[in-house]
Amino acid sequence: MDKSFITTAAIGAAAGALIGAGAAVIVATERGERIRYQAMDAIEALRDNGPAINERGHALVEKSQEVTGVVKETLGAVKELKEESVSAARDVKSDVQDSLRTSGVGGKPTDGSAGSM
């Protein structure tokens, strides 16, 4: 998540709250004065909590960047381990094949027998 997403989300939430409050004023059956007070309370709560929400958003962005870094490092280590494992397996396979070729095992028996199963 980047900072622009957090900012856009916060602006969207605030705009949604304001639009919702405006719609409530228009369609509500209660007295307009009471609804205006409720809308103003909601706006004031958003204004009061906005900086804290913004700070939490920034902290979340920083934490997600840290986690992303750790994941990338881990993925790099796993890829390196995989490559080393594949290389070691190839070396073992090659050594076994060389050993079989030089000992005469695995192909035709060198003593003339039919071989045992």
Side-chain angles (χ1 to χ4, degrees):
M1 264 188 225
D2 59 0
K3 293 179 184 179
S4 64
F5 175 77
I6 299 293
T7 304
T8 303
I11 291 170
L18 293 175
I19 291 170
V25 169
I26 292 171
V27 299
T29 58
E30 296 182 40
R31 291 180 43 207
E33 184 176 330
R34 181 172 175 207
I35 294 173
R36 278 193 295 276
Y37 284 127
Q38 289 175 343
M40 292 305 292
D41 287 344
I43 291 170
E44 186 175 329
L46 183 60
R47 192 178 304 142
D48 291 344
N49 294 323
I53 292 170
N54 193 28
E55 286 178 31
R56 288 181 186 155
H58 287 294
L60 180 61
V61 166
E62 289 177 19
K63 190 55 106 173
S64 68
Q65 289 172 344
E66 289 176 25
V67 169
T68 300
V70 169
V71 168
K72 285 181 180 178
E73 287 177 24
T74 303
L75 182 59
V78 168
K79 285 181 179 179
E80 186 177 320
L81 181 61
K82 177 192 169 215
E83 290 169 3
E84 290 174 6
S85 298
V86 168
S87 177
R90 284 185 185 135
D91 291 346
V92 168
K93 179 182 177 183
S94 178
D95 289 348
V96 168
Q97 288 173 340
D98 289 346
S99 190
L100 290 175
R101 259 188 248 113
T102 59
S103 68
V105 178
K108 296 180 182 174
T110 57
D111 63 358
S113 66
S116 62
M117 294 203 156

